[in-house]
Amino acid sequence: MDLIERHPILDFSHGEKVSFSFDGRDMEGFEGEPIAMALHANGVRIYRKTPEMRRPRGFFCAIGKCSSCFMVVDGVPNVRTCVTPLKSGMKVETQNGRGRVNLFAEEAS
Amino acid sequence: MEEIRTDVLVVGGGPAGLSAAAEAASAGADVLIAEGDLHLGGQLVKQSHKFFGSKDEFAGTRGFEIARLLRDEIAQCGDHVKIMLNTTVSGYYPDEKLVTAMVGEEEYVHISPKKIVLASGAQERLIPFPNNDLPGVYGAGAVQTLMNVYGVTPGKRVLMIGAGNIGLIVSYQLLQAGVEVAAILEAMPRIGGYWVHAAKVRRLGVPILLRHSISRAIGGDVVTGAMVCELDEKFAPVGEPQKVDCDTICLAVGLTPSNELLWQAGCKMKYVPFLCGHVPFRDKNMRTSNSDIWMAGDVCGIEEASAAMIEGRIAGMSAAASLGFKVSSENFEGCHARLHNLRAGEVGEKIRIGVSGVTVDGWEANV
Ligand SMILES: Cc1cc2nc3c(=O)[nH]c(=O)nc-3n(C[C@H](O)[C@H](O)[C@H](O)COP(=O)(O)OP(=O)(O)OC[C@H]3O[C@@H](n4cnc5c(N)ncnc54)[C@H](O)[C@@H]3O)c2cc1C
């Protein structure tokens, strides 16, 4: 992971290391830290593709305001990954376009 | 749906909101802090430098340490303060005086507060240039969050846009994190930030290019470079643009108040360039034209944490006093005096002019 190893002022106390998947690939991150940070540390830069122009979008504001980092997390689209904590076993996917809400998911399962 | 009742709802747990909550709670009010992020402290948690400003307001202390001091003060308030993290306030319904908030991404709650202090801070500005939406173009606050809060390297080589205090400080922090800074571009003919911050990055060999800007970001799927151009007196590009290799373009081009909830609440607003956007009219105790709503900090004009903390204290005391809790007039006067001192002198001039244009003597006479 692209983590800062030595810093003159700051000490980083990370949470527990957990596994999650990104588009089917296994990755590691720290529990409770935002999903977007874990992805960035794993070298992932593209988080979604825009609906009309199919432009790649990634991390941008990191305060849950700009919608650039929307992704599909455990099947839920438009998740603000910069303020959503990572949990063990999460399934994180690139969001293509607007994202689909599966209204019948509960009945089906 | 769950409905939460409280005397005072504080929206945003940055320096302004925490100060407001501490005052309202110590006057005896029950306070709920709703904070969208995963931790309290707002901008302070990402500031690893020693703060400038007044000694009364922790000058010389590092930003994240000030956040810790404020959190300790909140802890002292015990049961009077409840905290909801990862809770973004999304709506205000004036007729029912009801607030809606998102907890995480899928759960909604109703909050029914007697009074509200809005302390939602600011958001970053974006400047237009081709490809400014490419992954790798990041706000300065976002870069700070990555590296100073979560210890993640934002990139290998960064181009910084803006030589105000934020651009200068974040450049220095990038160097501390072991990241190369290709250059700092500034469209104005002079450095906007404090000289000490500029001197630190210059000493480490980072060029500060005045009268320069970015003309486009380069890259297919992610940033791989930028075209940089020189500007004339009218800010029009002159000469051939130069290519700079970088994997990150960091925008430090200013902030604007996160004022959405103030608009929703119908607060009387005005565009004030010196305060960096649309801001609400206020009386001297930070009450807006909506008699249930106070505000404090960057949301009522971009300034500094020092001012945000004092405004927060004033707003918190005033909101509590309106509910009948006892607040000493000495405390009010002390805070007004500190705010006055902070804004005295040359540095505070723009703020003074900006604030005086939106301050009313009292609401009854003006609404
Ligand atoms: C690089 C940099 C260096 C700085 N250096 C200094 C310095 O040396 N000295 C100084 O005095 N100041 C400094 N500042 C400025 C200072 O950090 C800010 O002025 C201060 O943090 C403003 O406080 P605030 O509480 O108003 O807003 P913020 O700190 O921005 O806090 C607002 C909080 O509200 C939350 N929020 C927003 N919307 C919602 C919502 N709808 N629902 C729930 N929560 C919400 C946010 O998540 C955030 O936690 C610096 C700023 C930067 C970026």
Side-chain angles (χ1 to χ4, degrees):
Chain A
M1 284 191 269
D2 294 332
L3 298 178
I4 298 169
E5 313 235 312
R6 275 181 311 139
H7 197 285
I9 293 159
L10 300 169
D11 277 328
F12 300 105
S13 54
H14 292 288
E16 195 188 329
K17 207 178 248 184
V18 294
S19 321
F20 68 102
S21 75
F22 165 68
D23 286 351
R25 275 157 62 197
D26 285 335
M27 288 186 176
E28 282 189 327
F30 298 106
E31 173 137 51
E33 296 190 0
I35 298 167
M37 314 300 162
L39 289 169
H40 207 285
N42 279 280
V44 178
R45 295 290 177 274
I46 302 168
Y47 295 7
R48 70 178 175 104
K49 292 272 171 81
T50 61
E52 309 279 335
M53 310 276 286
R54 302 273 150 204
R55 302 268 302 172
R57 288 284 162 83
F59 184 75
F60 180 72
C61 82
I63 53 169
K65 301 253 180 203
C66 78
S67 75
S68 187
C69 70
F70 278 3
M71 299 181 85
V72 183
V73 177
D74 289 336
V76 178
N78 301 319
V79 169
R80 299 169 301 161
T81 54
C82 69
V83 288
T84 301
L86 182 70
K87 292 196 193 87
S88 173
M90 262 181 168
K91 194 172 159 221
V92 180
E93 293 168 285
T94 305
Q95 179 164 323
N96 279 303
R98 292 200 170 80
R100 276 172 46 137
V101 179
N102 189 354
L103 293 174
F104 304 104
E106 268 171 37
E107 275 119 285
S109 65
Chain B
M1 192 180 299
E2 193 189 350
E3 183 167 316
I4 302 163
R5 290 174 184 279
T6 181
D7 290 334
V8 179
L9 169 67
V10 174
V11 181
L18 293 178
S19 305
E23 289 300 334
S26 43
D30 283 326
V31 179
L32 171 66
I33 303 174
E35 166 55 55
D37 216 319
L38 307 180
H39 44 248
L40 295 175
Q43 295 280 335
L44 291 178
V45 298
K46 13 181 162 157
Q47 308 305 346
S48 52
H49 64 287
K50 294 184 178 161
F51 268 40
F52 41 80
S54 149
K55 264 228 206 58
D56 288 341
E57 265 56 69
F58 306 114
T61 308
R62 296 185 193 279
F64 65 92
E65 283 160 355
I66 302 176
R68 197 178 301 145
L69 294 171
L70 290 172
R71 284 197 298 263
D72 289 349
E73 192 182 344
I74 292 291
Q76 299 285 313
C77 300
D79 283 349
H80 275 301
V81 181
K82 299 219 160 42
I83 298 161
M84 290 177 74
L85 296 176
N86 201 6
T87 301
T88 303
V89 172
S90 56
Y92 175 73
Y93 295 81
D95 293 344
E96 294 93 1
K97 297 188 177 175
L98 194 72
V99 169
T100 55
M102 264 168 85
V103 184
E105 296 297 279
E106 291 211 279
E107 191 191 335
Y108 267 91
V109 292
H110 281 166
I111 304 170
S112 175
K114 291 186 186 141
K115 303 291 169 192
I116 300 174
V117 179
L118 271 178
S120 48
Q123 54 206 63
E124 278 171 300
R125 289 195 170 145
L126 184 65
I127 48 169
F129 55 85
N131 284 338
N132 68 357
D133 61 339
L134 276 186
V137 179
Y138 300 154
V143 166
Q144 281 194 303
T145 304
L146 261 182
M147 67 179 174
N148 293 349
V149 182
Y150 297 106
V152 177
T153 338
K156 292 199 165 60
R157 192 171 147 90
V158 176
L159 176 66
M160 180 66 64
I161 319 292
N165 274 326
I166 297 186
L168 297 172
I169 291 171
V170 176
S171 295
Y172 188 69
Q173 293 175 351
L174 281 160
L175 298 167
Q176 287 179 316
V179 179
E180 199 183 334
V181 179
I184 304 175
L185 308 184
E186 172 57 59
M188 301 298 283
R190 64 194 161 271
I191 291 169
Y194 292 149
W195 193 244
V196 276
H197 294 306
K200 275 193 196 166
V201 285
R202 281 297 296 121
R203 217 176 291 136
L204 292 166
V206 177
I208 303 177
L209 305 176
L210 300 177
R211 279 193 199 290
H212 276 76
S213 191
I214 177 168
S215 57
R216 60 163 40 245
I218 306 171
D221 272 349
V222 295
V223 168
T224 55
M227 296 307 285
V228 168
C229 60
E230 201 176 335
L231 304 173
D232 66 13
E233 290 78 52
K234 295 195 174 102
F235 299 101
V238 283
E240 277 298 301
Q242 304 283 319
K243 182 166 183 266
V244 172
D245 290 324
C246 58
D247 59 3
T248 309
I249 296 168
C250 182
L251 301 177
V253 291
L255 297 160
T256 190
S258 289
N259 52 18
E260 299 85 352
L261 292 163
L262 291 159
W263 284 114
Q264 279 194 43
C267 297
K268 202 175 151 208
M269 309 277 280
K270 186 181 177 186
Y271 183 75
V272 183
F274 282 163
L275 300 179
C276 307
H278 279 93
V279 295
F281 284 85
R282 76 265 342 235
D283 66 12
K284 73 177 198 320
N285 288 333
M286 307 309 294
R287 199 176 200 162
T288 67
S289 63
N290 180 323
S291 62
D292 291 324
I293 301 183
W294 282 251
M295 35 113 203
D298 280 353
V299 71
C300 42
I302 305 304
E303 202 176 342
E304 283 175 4
S306 41
M309 289 185 280
I310 309 175
E311 286 182 342
R313 296 203 180 271
I314 295 171
M317 285 192 283
S318 179
S322 77
L323 291 170
F325 293 102
K326 234 180 127 42
V327 181
S328 85
S329 58
E330 246 167 67
N331 278 358
F332 269 117
E333 280 155 26
C335 284
H336 285 130
R338 273 153 66 190
L339 200 53
H340 181 83
N341 290 343
L342 204 65
R343 291 173 176 159
E346 211 184 318
V347 241
E349 194 186 355
K350 288 182 176 166
I351 297 288
R352 280 202 307 277
I353 297 172
V355 168
S356 69
V358 281
T359 304
V360 299
D361 287 337
W363 278 114
E364 286 68 29
N366 282 277
V367 189

Coordinates of all heavy atoms in Angstrom, one line a residue, chain B residues 138-211:
Chain B
Y138 N -7.2 17.0 -7.5 CA -7.8 17.0 -6.2 C -7.8 18.3 -5.5 O -7.0 19.2 -5.7 CB -6.9 16.0 -5.2 CG -6.8 14.6 -5.7 CD1 -5.7 13.9 -5.3 CD2 -7.7 14.0 -6.5 CE1 -5.5 12.6 -5.7 CE2 -7.6 12.7 -6.9 CZ -6.5 12.0 -6.5 OH -6.3 10.7 -6.9
G139 N -8.8 18.5 -4.6 CA -8.9 19.7 -3.8 C -7.7 19.6 -2.7 O -7.3 18.5 -2.4
A140 N -7.3 20.8 -2.3 CA -6.2 20.8 -1.3 C -6.6 20.1 0.0 O -5.8 19.4 0.6 CB -5.7 22.2 -1.1
G141 N -7.8 20.3 0.4 CA -8.3 19.7 1.6 C -8.3 18.2 1.5 O -8.0 17.5 2.4
A142 N -8.6 17.7 0.3 CA -8.7 16.3 0.1 C -7.3 15.7 0.2 O -7.1 14.6 0.7 CB -9.3 16.0 -1.3
V143 N -6.3 16.4 -0.4 CA -4.9 15.9 -0.3 C -4.5 15.9 1.1 O -3.8 14.9 1.6 CB -4.0 16.9 -1.2 CG1 -2.5 16.7 -0.9 CG2 -4.3 16.6 -2.7
Q144 N -4.9 16.9 1.9 CA -4.5 16.9 3.3 C -5.1 15.7 4.1 O -4.5 15.2 4.9 CB -5.0 18.2 3.9 CG -4.1 19.4 3.7 CD -4.5 20.5 4.6 OE1 -5.6 20.9 4.7 NE2 -3.6 21.0 5.4
T145 N -6.4 15.5 3.7 CA -7.1 14.4 4.4 C -6.4 13.0 4.1 O -6.1 12.3 5.0 CB -8.6 14.3 3.9 OG1 -9.2 15.5 4.2 CG2 -9.3 13.2 4.7
L146 N -6.1 12.8 2.8 CA -5.4 11.6 2.5 C -4.1 11.4 3.3 O -3.8 10.4 3.9 CB -5.0 11.6 1.0 CG -5.8 10.9 0.0 CD1 -5.2 11.1 -1.4 CD2 -6.0 9.4 0.3
M147 N -3.2 12.5 3.2 CA -1.9 12.3 3.8 C -1.8 12.5 5.3 O -1.1 11.8 6.0 CB -0.8 13.1 3.0 CG -1.0 14.6 3.2 SD 0.3 15.4 2.2 CE -0.2 17.1 2.4
N148 N -2.5 13.5 5.8 CA -2.4 13.9 7.2 C -3.3 13.2 8.2 O -3.0 13.0 9.3 CB -2.5 15.4 7.4 CG -1.4 16.2 6.7 OD1 -0.4 15.6 6.3 ND2 -1.6 17.5 6.6
V149 N -4.4 12.7 7.6 CA -5.4 12.0 8.5 C -5.2 10.5 8.4 O -5.1 9.8 9.3 CB -6.8 12.4 8.2 CG1 -7.8 11.7 9.2 CG2 -7.0 13.9 8.4
Y150 N -5.0 10.1 7.1 CA -5.0 8.6 6.9 C -3.6 8.1 6.5 O -3.5 6.9 6.2 CB -6.1 8.2 5.8 CG -7.5 8.5 6.4 CD1 -8.2 9.6 5.9 CD2 -8.0 7.8 7.4 CE1 -9.4 9.9 6.4 CE2 -9.2 8.1 8.0 CZ -10.0 9.2 7.5 OH -11.2 9.5 8.0
G151 N -2.7 9.0 6.3 CA -1.3 8.5 6.1 C -1.1 7.9 4.7 O -0.2 7.0 4.5
V152 N -2.0 8.3 3.7 CA -1.9 7.7 2.4 C -1.1 8.7 1.5 O -1.5 9.9 1.5 CB -3.3 7.4 1.8 CG1 -3.2 6.9 0.4 CG2 -4.0 6.4 2.7
T153 N -0.2 8.3 0.7 CA 0.6 9.2 -0.2 C -0.4 9.6 -1.3 O -0.9 8.7 -2.0 CB 1.8 8.5 -0.8 OG1 2.1 7.4 0.0 CG2 2.9 9.4 -1.0
P154 N -0.6 10.9 -1.5 CA -1.5 11.3 -2.6 C -1.0 11.1 -4.0 O -1.8 10.9 -4.9 CB -1.7 12.8 -2.3 CG -0.7 13.2 -1.3 CD -0.1 12.0 -0.7
G155 N 0.3 11.1 -4.2 CA 0.9 10.9 -5.5 C 2.4 11.0 -5.3 O 2.9 11.0 -4.2
K156 N 3.1 11.0 -6.5 CA 4.6 11.0 -6.4 C 5.1 12.4 -6.7 O 6.0 12.9 -6.1 CB 5.2 10.1 -7.5 CG 4.9 8.6 -7.2 CD 5.9 7.7 -7.9 CE 5.9 6.3 -7.4 NZ 4.5 5.7 -7.4
R157 N 4.4 13.1 -7.6 CA 4.8 14.5 -8.0 C 3.6 15.4 -8.2 O 2.7 15.0 -9.0 CB 5.6 14.4 -9.3 CG 6.4 15.6 -9.6 CD 7.3 15.3 -10.8 NE 7.5 16.4 -11.7 CZ 8.4 17.3 -11.6 NH1 9.3 17.3 -10.6 NH2 8.5 18.3 -12.4
V158 N 3.5 16.4 -7.4 CA 2.3 17.2 -7.4 C 2.5 18.6 -8.0 O 3.5 19.2 -7.7 CB 1.8 17.4 -5.9 CG1 0.6 18.3 -5.8 CG2 1.5 16.0 -5.3
L159 N 1.6 19.1 -8.8 CA 1.6 20.5 -9.2 C 0.5 21.2 -8.4 O -0.7 20.8 -8.3 CB 1.2 20.6 -10.7 CG 1.1 22.0 -11.2 CD1 2.4 22.7 -11.2 CD2 0.5 22.0 -12.7
M160 N 1.0 22.3 -7.7 CA 0.0 23.0 -6.8 C -0.5 24.2 -7.5 O 0.3 25.0 -8.1 CB 0.8 23.4 -5.5 CG 0.0 24.2 -4.5 SD -1.3 23.2 -3.7 CE -0.4 22.0 -2.9
I161 N -1.8 24.5 -7.5 CA -2.4 25.7 -8.1 C -2.8 26.6 -6.9 O -3.8 26.3 -6.2 CB -3.6 25.3 -9.0 CG1 -3.4 24.1 -9.8 CG2 -4.0 26.5 -9.8 CD1 -2.3 24.2 -10.9
G162 N -2.2 27.7 -6.8 CA -2.5 28.7 -5.8 C -1.4 28.9 -4.7 O -1.0 27.9 -4.1
A163 N -1.0 30.1 -4.5 CA 0.0 30.4 -3.5 C -0.5 31.3 -2.4 O 0.1 32.2 -1.9 CB 1.2 31.1 -4.2
G164 N -1.8 31.0 -2.0 CA -2.3 31.5 -0.8 C -1.8 30.7 0.4 O -1.0 29.7 0.2
N165 N -2.2 30.9 1.6 CA -1.7 30.1 2.7 C -2.0 28.7 2.5 O -1.1 27.8 2.9 CB -2.4 30.6 4.0 CG -1.6 31.8 4.6 OD1 -0.4 31.8 4.5 ND2 -2.3 32.7 5.2
I166 N -3.2 28.3 2.0 CA -3.5 26.9 1.9 C -2.5 26.2 0.9 O -1.9 25.2 1.2 CB -4.9 26.6 1.5 CG1 -5.8 27.2 2.7 CG2 -5.2 25.2 1.2 CD1 -7.3 26.9 2.5
G167 N -2.3 26.8 -0.3 CA -1.4 26.3 -1.3 C 0.0 26.1 -0.7 O 0.7 25.1 -0.9
L168 N 0.5 27.1 0.0 CA 1.8 27.1 0.6 C 2.0 26.0 1.7 O 2.9 25.2 1.7 CB 2.2 28.5 1.1 CG 2.2 29.6 0.1 CD1 2.4 31.0 0.9 CD2 3.4 29.5 -0.9
I169 N 1.0 26.0 2.6 CA 1.1 25.1 3.7 C 1.0 23.6 3.2 O 1.7 22.8 3.6 CB 0.0 25.4 4.7 CG1 0.3 26.7 5.4 CG2 -0.2 24.3 5.8 CD1 -0.9 27.2 6.3
V170 N 0.0 23.4 2.3 CA -0.1 22.0 1.8 C 1.1 21.6 1.0 O 1.5 20.4 1.1 CB -1.5 21.9 1.0 CG1 -1.6 20.5 0.5 CG2 -2.7 22.2 1.9
S171 N 1.7 22.5 0.3 CA 3.0 22.1 -0.4 C 4.0 21.7 0.6 O 4.7 20.7 0.4 CB 3.5 23.3 -1.2 OG 2.6 23.7 -2.2
Y172 N 4.2 22.4 1.7 CA 5.2 22.1 2.7 C 4.8 20.7 3.3 O 5.7 19.9 3.5 CB 5.2 23.2 3.7 CG 6.3 23.0 4.7 CD1 7.7 23.2 4.3 CD2 6.1 22.7 6.1 CE1 8.7 23.0 5.2 CE2 7.1 22.5 7.0 CZ 8.4 22.7 6.6 OH 9.4 22.5 7.4
Q173 N 3.5 20.5 3.6 CA 3.1 19.3 4.2 C 3.4 18.1 3.2 O 3.7 17.0 3.6 CB 1.7 19.3 4.5 CG 1.4 20.3 5.7 CD -0.1 20.5 6.0 OE1 -0.9 20.0 5.3 NE2 -0.3 21.2 7.1
L174 N 3.2 18.3 1.9 CA 3.5 17.3 0.9 C 5.0 16.9 1.0 O 5.4 15.7 1.0 CB 3.2 17.8 -0.5 CG 1.7 17.7 -0.9 CD1 1.4 18.6 -2.1 CD2 1.3 16.3 -1.2
L175 N 5.9 17.9 1.1 CA 7.3 17.7 1.2 C 7.6 16.9 2.5 O 8.4 15.9 2.4 CB 8.1 19.0 1.2 CG 7.9 19.8 -0.1 CD1 8.5 21.2 0.1 CD2 8.6 19.2 -1.3
Q176 N 6.9 17.2 3.5 CA 7.1 16.5 4.8 C 6.7 15.0 4.7 O 7.2 14.2 5.3 CB 6.3 17.1 5.9 CG 6.8 18.4 6.4 CD 6.0 19.0 7.5 OE1 4.8 19.0 7.4 NE2 6.6 19.5 8.6
A177 N 5.7 14.8 3.8 CA 5.3 13.4 3.6 C 6.1 12.7 2.5 O 5.8 11.6 2.2 CB 3.8 13.4 3.2
G178 N 7.1 13.4 2.1 CA 8.0 12.7 1.1 C 7.6 12.8 -0.3 O 8.0 12.0 -1.2
V179 N 6.6 13.7 -0.6 CA 6.1 13.8 -2.0 C 6.8 15.0 -2.7 O 7.1 16.0 -2.0 CB 4.6 14.1 -2.0 CG1 4.0 14.2 -3.4 CG2 3.9 12.9 -1.3
E180 N 7.1 14.9 -4.0 CA 7.8 15.9 -4.7 C 6.7 17.0 -5.1 O 5.6 16.6 -5.5 CB 8.4 15.3 -5.9 CG 9.5 16.2 -6.6 CD 10.0 15.5 -7.8 OE1 10.0 14.3 -8.0 OE2 10.5 16.3 -8.7
V181 N 7.1 18.3 -5.0 CA 6.2 19.3 -5.5 C 6.9 20.0 -6.7 O 7.9 20.6 -6.6 CB 5.9 20.4 -4.4 CG1 4.9 21.5 -5.0 CG2 5.2 19.7 -3.2
A182 N 6.3 19.8 -7.9 CA 6.9 20.3 -9.1 C 7.0 21.8 -9.2 O 8.0 22.3 -9.5 CB 6.1 19.8 -10.3
A183 N 5.9 22.5 -8.8 CA 5.9 23.9 -8.7 C 4.6 24.4 -8.1 O 3.6 23.6 -8.0 CB 6.0 24.5 -10.1
I184 N 4.6 25.6 -7.7 CA 3.3 26.2 -7.2 C 3.0 27.4 -8.2 O 3.9 28.2 -8.4 CB 3.5 26.8 -5.8 CG1 4.0 25.8 -4.8 CG2 2.2 27.5 -5.3 CD1 4.3 26.3 -3.4
L185 N 1.8 27.3 -8.8 CA 1.4 28.3 -9.7 C 0.5 29.4 -9.0 O -0.4 29.0 -8.2 CB 0.6 27.7 -10.9 CG 1.2 26.5 -11.6 CD1 0.4 26.2 -12.8 CD2 2.7 26.9 -12.1
E186 N 0.7 30.6 -9.4 CA -0.2 31.7 -8.8 C -0.5 32.7 -9.9 O 0.4 33.2 -10.5 CB 0.6 32.3 -7.7 CG -0.1 33.6 -7.1 CD -1.5 33.3 -6.6 OE1 -1.7 32.5 -5.7 OE2 -2.4 34.0 -7.2
A187 N -1.8 32.9 -10.2 CA -2.2 33.8 -11.2 C -1.9 35.2 -10.9 O -1.7 36.0 -11.8 CB -3.7 33.6 -11.5
M188 N -1.9 35.6 -9.6 CA -1.7 37.0 -9.2 C -0.2 37.3 -9.3 O 0.6 36.4 -9.3 CB -2.2 37.2 -7.8 CG -3.6 36.9 -7.5 SD -4.7 37.9 -8.5 CE -4.6 39.5 -7.5
P189 N 0.1 38.6 -9.4 CA 1.5 39.0 -9.5 C 2.3 38.9 -8.1 O 3.4 39.2 -8.1 CB 1.5 40.4 -10.0 CG 0.1 40.9 -9.7 CD -0.8 39.7 -9.6
R190 N 1.6 38.5 -7.1 CA 2.3 38.3 -5.8 C 1.7 37.1 -5.0 O 0.6 36.6 -5.3 CB 2.1 39.6 -4.9 CG 0.7 39.9 -4.6 CD 0.5 41.3 -4.0 NE -1.0 41.5 -4.2 CZ -1.6 42.0 -5.2 NH1 -0.9 42.4 -6.3 NH2 -2.9 42.0 -5.3
I191 N 2.5 36.7 -4.0 CA 2.1 35.6 -3.2 C 1.0 36.0 -2.2 O 1.2 37.1 -1.6 CB 3.4 35.1 -2.4 CG1 4.3 34.4 -3.4 CG2 3.0 34.1 -1.3 CD1 5.7 34.1 -2.8
G192 N 0.0 35.2 -2.2 CA -1.2 35.6 -1.3 C -1.0 35.3 0.1 O -1.5 35.9 1.0
G193 N -0.2 34.2 0.4 CA -0.1 33.7 1.8 C 1.0 34.5 2.6 O 1.6 35.4 2.1
Y194 N 1.1 34.0 3.8 CA 2.1 34.7 4.7 C 3.5 34.4 4.2 O 3.8 33.3 3.7 CB 2.0 34.2 6.2 CG 0.7 34.7 6.8 CD1 0.1 33.9 7.8 CD2 0.1 35.9 6.5 CE1 -1.1 34.4 8.4 CE2 -1.1 36.3 7.0 CZ -1.7 35.6 8.0 OH -2.8 36.0 8.6
W195 N 4.4 35.3 4.5 CA 5.8 35.2 4.0 C 6.5 34.0 4.6 O 7.2 33.3 3.9 CB 6.5 36.5 4.3 CG 7.8 36.6 3.6 CD1 9.0 36.6 4.1 CD2 8.0 36.6 2.1 NE1 10.0 36.7 3.1 CE2 9.4 36.6 1.9 CE3 7.1 36.6 1.1 CZ2 9.9 36.7 0.6 CZ3 7.6 36.6 -0.2 CH2 9.0 36.6 -0.4
V196 N 6.3 33.7 5.9 CA 7.0 32.6 6.5 C 6.7 31.3 5.8 O 7.6 30.4 5.6 CB 6.6 32.3 8.0 CG1 7.3 33.2 8.9 CG2 5.1 32.4 8.2
H197 N 5.4 31.1 5.4 CA 5.1 29.8 4.7 C 5.7 29.8 3.3 O 6.1 28.7 2.9 CB 3.5 29.7 4.6 CG 2.9 29.5 5.9 ND1 3.2 28.6 6.8 CD2 1.9 30.2 6.5 CE1 2.5 28.7 7.9 NE2 1.6 29.7 7.7
A198 N 5.8 30.9 2.6 CA 6.4 30.9 1.3 C 7.9 30.6 1.4 O 8.4 29.9 0.6 CB 6.1 32.3 0.6
A199 N 8.5 31.2 2.4 CA 9.9 31.1 2.6 C 10.3 29.6 2.8 O 11.3 29.1 2.3 CB 10.4 32.0 3.8
K200 N 9.5 28.9 3.6 CA 9.7 27.5 3.9 C 9.8 26.6 2.6 O 10.7 25.8 2.5 CB 8.6 26.9 4.8 CG 8.8 27.2 6.3 CD 7.7 26.3 6.9 CE 7.4 26.6 8.3 NZ 6.2 25.9 8.7
V201 N 8.9 26.8 1.7 CA 8.9 26.0 0.5 C 9.9 26.4 -0.5 O 10.6 25.6 -1.1 CB 7.5 25.9 -0.2 CG1 6.5 25.1 0.6 CG2 6.9 27.3 -0.4
R202 N 10.2 27.8 -0.5 CA 11.3 28.2 -1.4 C 12.6 27.7 -1.0 O 13.4 27.3 -1.8 CB 11.3 29.8 -1.4 CG 10.3 30.4 -2.3 CD 10.4 30.1 -3.8 NE 11.6 30.6 -4.3 CZ 12.5 29.8 -4.9 NH1 12.3 28.5 -5.0 NH2 13.6 30.4 -5.4
R203 N 12.8 27.7 0.4 CA 14.1 27.2 0.9 C 14.3 25.7 0.5 O 15.4 25.3 0.3 CB 14.1 27.3 2.4 CG 15.4 27.7 3.0 CD 15.3 27.9 4.5 NE 14.5 29.0 4.9 CZ 13.5 29.0 5.8 NH1 13.3 27.9 6.5 NH2 12.9 30.1 6.1
L204 N 13.2 25.0 0.3 CA 13.3 23.6 -0.1 C 13.4 23.4 -1.6 O 13.3 22.3 -2.1 CB 12.2 22.8 0.6 CG 12.4 22.6 2.1 CD1 11.1 22.1 2.7 CD2 13.5 21.7 2.5
G205 N 13.4 24.5 -2.3 CA 13.7 24.5 -3.7 C 12.4 24.4 -4.6 O 12.5 24.1 -5.8
V206 N 11.3 24.6 -4.0 CA 10.0 24.5 -4.9 C 9.8 25.9 -5.5 O 9.7 26.9 -4.9 CB 8.8 24.2 -4.0 CG1 7.5 24.2 -4.9 CG2 9.0 22.8 -3.3
P207 N 9.8 25.9 -6.9 CA 9.6 27.2 -7.6 C 8.1 27.7 -7.4 O 7.2 26.9 -7.4 CB 9.8 26.9 -9.0 CG 9.8 25.4 -9.2 CD 10.0 24.8 -7.8
I208 N 8.0 29.0 -7.1 CA 6.7 29.6 -7.0 C 6.6 30.5 -8.3 O 7.3 31.5 -8.4 CB 6.5 30.4 -5.8 CG1 6.7 29.6 -4.5 CG2 5.1 31.1 -5.7 CD1 6.6 30.3 -3.2
L209 N 5.7 30.1 -9.2 CA 5.6 30.8 -10.5 C 4.5 31.8 -10.4 O 3.3 31.4 -10.5 CB 5.5 29.9 -11.7 CG 6.5 28.8 -11.8 CD1 6.2 27.8 -12.9 CD2 7.9 29.4 -12.0
L210 N 4.8 33.1 -10.3 CA 3.7 34.1 -10.2 C 3.3 34.4 -11.6 O 4.0 34.2 -12.6 CB 4.3 35.4 -9.6 CG 4.8 35.2 -8.1 CD1 5.3 36.5 -7.6 CD2 3.7 34.7 -7.2
R211 N 2.0 34.9 -11.8 CA 1.4 35.2 -13.1 C 1.5 33.9 -14.0 O 1.8 34.0 -15.2 CB 2.2 36.3 -13.8 CG 1.8 37.7 -13.4 CD 2.5 38.6 -14.5 NE 2.6 40.0 -14.0 CZ 1.5 40.8 -13.7 NH1 0.3 40.4 -13.9 NH2 1.7 42.0 -13.3

